[in-house]
Amino acid sequence: MASPCHVLGVDFGTSNSAAGYLCDGLPKLIELGPGSKTLPTTFFFDFDTRKTLTGAPANQALLDGIDGRFMRALKRVLGTTLMHEKRQILNERVTFVEIIARFLRQIKIRAETETGLAFEGVLSGRPVAFHGTDDPREAQAEADLRACYLAAGFKHVAFMLEPEAAAIASGALDQSGEVGLIVDIGGGTSDFSLFRSCSDGVKILANHGVRIGGTDFDRAISIHQVMPLLGKGTQLRKTIGSGGTPVPTAIFNDVATWEKIPFLYTPQNRRLAVEMARLAYEPEKLCRLVTVLEDELGHELAFAVESGKMTANTGSAEAQILLDPIERHLSCPLSNTDLGEILAPYSHSLRTGAQETLRLAGVDAASVERVIYVGGSSLMSMVSEAMKKEFPSADHSFTEVFTAVTDGLAIASARAQWVLSS
């Protein structure tokens, strides 16, 4: 005899994750932390206790200076060869598939504990593009994520495009005939979905995605504002002859990139930084880079940039990126004007992404009645400013930007037709 398979909707995000299911006709989100329906997609491997922490405890362990390794933005590793390479972490050699699976298993356990249900199926959100349209890594990225869910203990895995889930959550099912655009700006990707609401559901007219997200904004700000304080753009004395040579830029790009920070702290990189400081015309700056590598402060720097970004986004003309962990009283300014100038190329790319979505659907901008913003990075003012220029006559609405995708997945999960054999 067959029995229904309970299905959990899961939004595994670059920065935050959430899960939910349909209860009494309404989406109900799982409490993944004390009083919180979202869980930071972060990991901390404590070298002393040999324990793995996730979410808020992982963030706090990093901020408390506990000896260990912190990881974030692993969603951006999907589809790359890094996913299946074994790395020594604590007492074992594991792949990123196994690390992500453990995170997803915790979500599954918390959902089953809270509800008393056995979730053997999962409806997972996925971006329109993990890496880019026609990128050969696209199929592998979805296959990797599927492997993570299966390793986490789910028996059945299906995917729904995140913007489509957000459209369902926005109430589009109740607005028959409306043409709308979902603008989903997450931590690692930006997705656009043009849809028409129909009596029997949401009809997706076109999807388009670009590999731009909040972590890219952080990277650009860090490279532009912070890395010069660590020596980027300075000169080194030549070991033979007179004159100088530019400091290599690769190390600064890695320090500024969330997903690359865990791999910075190698003996080779530390030796390189020390040698550059020895040869530097401005050694005090390169000594700060040495400190970041020796004391493993890359993530503290990244969080400082993220915090400064959010303050500047409020319109503050005097926002600062505070870098005290690196050097007491060290900071750099980041005004709202600075922020706009640094992120201008991304604003242009987002407008181009929206235009491409319209082109794919054969729809003009004037036909779009509503623009719906989803994803934490959609709260950046430059995002809505770019879209308002493109769609001046549309209604612009912010839904539950952090949980709209999960709400939609929870609603859609009730329609899943999986059946388990007894």
Side-chain angles (χ1 to χ4, degrees), residues 65 67 87 120 135 177 181 209 213 229 240 273 305 308-309 318 382:
D67 189 23
R87 296 181 177 275
E120 297 192 341
D135 192 300
L181 178 71
L229 296 177
I240 299 177
V305 170
K309 174 189 72 175
E318 300 180 354
M382 71 91 173

Side-chain angles (χ1 to χ4, degrees), residues 6-160:
H6 294 293
V7 181
L8 186 67
V10 176
D11 177 18
F12 173 67
T14 303
S15 301
N16 294 280
S17 297
Y21 68 111
L22 200 67
C23 179
D24 297 328
L26 296 173
K28 181 175 175 57
L29 270 59
I30 303 300
E31 186 170 304
L32 296 177
S36 178
K37 305 296 185 183
T38 61
L39 180 69
T41 312
T42 53
F43 308 78
F44 188 87
F45 304 94
D46 190 319
F47 291 161
D48 291 330
T49 66
R50 318 307 288 177
K51 292 181 179 179
T52 300
L53 306 176
T54 58
N59 293 356
Q60 192 59 49
L62 174 70
L63 297 175
D64 289 344
I66 295 174
D67 189 23
R69 176 177 291 186
F70 181 84
M71 291 186 181
R72 188 188 189 194
L74 290 190
K75 186 175 180 179
R76 304 201 76 171
V77 182
L78 293 168
T80 71
T81 56
L82 290 174
M83 281 296 297
H84 301 277
E85 293 179 1
K86 285 190 175 290
R87 296 181 177 275
Q88 185 70 35
I89 298 180
L90 300 182
N91 300 321
E92 56 185 337
R93 291 181 61 80
V94 294
T95 65
F96 283 124
V97 171
E98 293 169 293
I99 292 172
I100 293 173
R102 292 174 186 178
F103 181 85
L104 295 173
R105 187 179 301 122
Q106 286 194 33
I107 292 177
K108 182 176 187 291
I109 291 171
R110 293 183 191 187
E112 292 177 340
T113 300
E114 179 178 317
T115 65
L117 303 174
F119 290 105
E120 297 192 341
V122 61
L123 178 62
S124 172
R126 61 147 290 168
V128 172
F130 286 97
H131 294 277
T133 306
D134 299 325
D135 192 300
R137 294 173 294 180
E138 284 298 301
Q140 185 59 52
E142 183 174 298
D144 286 345
L145 187 52
R146 182 185 300 277
C148 292
Y149 279 112
L150 292 173
F154 292 99
K155 294 182 179 179
H156 307 275
V157 184
F159 293 98
M160 173 177 279

Side-chain angles (χ1 to χ4, degrees), residues 30-369:
I30 303 300
E31 186 170 304
L32 296 177
S36 178
K37 305 296 185 183
T38 61
L39 180 69
T41 312
T42 53
F43 308 78
F44 188 87
F45 304 94
D46 190 319
F47 291 161
D48 291 330
T49 66
R50 318 307 288 177
K51 292 181 179 179
T52 300
L53 306 176
T54 58
N59 293 356
Q60 192 59 49
L62 174 70
L63 297 175
D64 289 344
I66 295 174
D67 189 23
R69 176 177 291 186
F70 181 84
M71 291 186 181
R72 188 188 189 194
L74 290 190
K75 186 175 180 179
R76 304 201 76 171
V77 182
L78 293 168
T80 71
T81 56
L82 290 174
M83 281 296 297
H84 301 277
E85 293 179 1
K86 285 190 175 290
R87 296 181 177 275
Q88 185 70 35
I89 298 180
L90 300 182
N91 300 321
E92 56 185 337
R93 291 181 61 80
V94 294
T95 65
F96 283 124
V97 171
E98 293 169 293
I99 292 172
I100 293 173
R102 292 174 186 178
F103 181 85
L104 295 173
R105 187 179 301 122
Q106 286 194 33
I107 292 177
K108 182 176 187 291
I109 291 171
R110 293 183 191 187
E112 292 177 340
T113 300
E114 179 178 317
T115 65
L117 303 174
F119 290 105
E120 297 192 341
V122 61
L123 178 62
S124 172
R126 61 147 290 168
V128 172
F130 286 97
H131 294 277
T133 306
D134 299 325
D135 192 300
R137 294 173 294 180
E138 284 298 301
Q140 185 59 52
E142 183 174 298
D144 286 345
L145 187 52
R146 182 185 300 277
C148 292
Y149 279 112
L150 292 173
F154 292 99
K155 294 182 179 179
H156 307 275
V157 184
F159 293 98
M160 173 177 279
L161 293 176
E162 291 161 4
E164 182 177 350
I168 292 172
S170 73
L173 298 177
D174 303 323
Q175 305 291 329
S176 183
E178 178 186 59
V179 174
L181 178 71
I182 298 290
V183 178
D184 184 353
I185 316 294
T189 58
S190 294
D191 293 334
F192 303 89
S193 283
L194 195 69
F195 68 89
R196 177 178 288 112
S197 54
C198 309
S199 58
D200 59 346
V202 174
K203 180 180 180 182
I204 299 297
L205 305 178
N207 289 309
H208 183 62
V210 292
R211 190 174 163 84
I212 293 173
T215 55
D216 297 289
F217 304 159
D218 295 345
R219 181 176 183 272
I221 294 165
S222 185
I223 288 174
H224 192 275
Q225 298 293 98
V226 177
M227 291 303 118
L229 296 177
L230 274 61
K232 180 179 181 293
T234 62
Q235 295 276 314
L236 303 177
R237 294 188 303 275
K238 291 183 178 179
T239 54
I240 299 177
S242 60
T245 184
V247 172
T249 60
I251 186 68
F252 299 104
N253 292 335
D254 287 352
V255 174
T257 305
W258 275 103
E259 65 267 29
K260 293 185 178 181
I261 292 173
F263 313 114
L264 282 173
Y265 312 120
T266 64
Q268 180 182 0
N269 280 342
R270 286 170 171 151
R271 286 194 299 268
L272 173 65
V274 169
E275 180 65 8
M276 289 194 299
R278 186 180 70 83
L279 297 172
Y281 281 104
E282 300 177 70
E284 71 281 359
K285 293 184 177 180
L286 272 301
C287 284
R288 292 169 184 155
L289 176 63
V290 172
T291 297
V292 168
L293 297 179
E294 291 291 342
D295 296 344
E296 300 190 0
L297 298 175
H299 282 108
E300 283 87 343
L301 187 154
F303 274 116
V305 170
E306 185 179 54
S307 178
K309 174 189 72 175
M310 292 187 291
T311 302
N313 189 59
T314 64
S316 172
E318 300 180 354
Q320 297 280 325
I321 299 173
L322 303 177
L323 301 169
D324 291 274
I326 299 171
E327 182 181 304
R328 191 176 182 186
H329 302 313
L330 181 67
S331 67
C332 62
L334 182 67
S335 68
N336 186 258
T337 300
D338 294 331
L339 190 66
E341 292 175 354
I342 294 169
L343 299 185
Y346 296 108
S347 174
H348 175 74
S349 296
L350 293 177
R351 289 189 68 180
T352 301
Q355 292 164 359
E356 176 63 12
T357 310
L358 293 175
R359 187 194 69 78
L360 291 171
V363 173
D364 58 56
S367 300
V368 177
E369 301 167 68

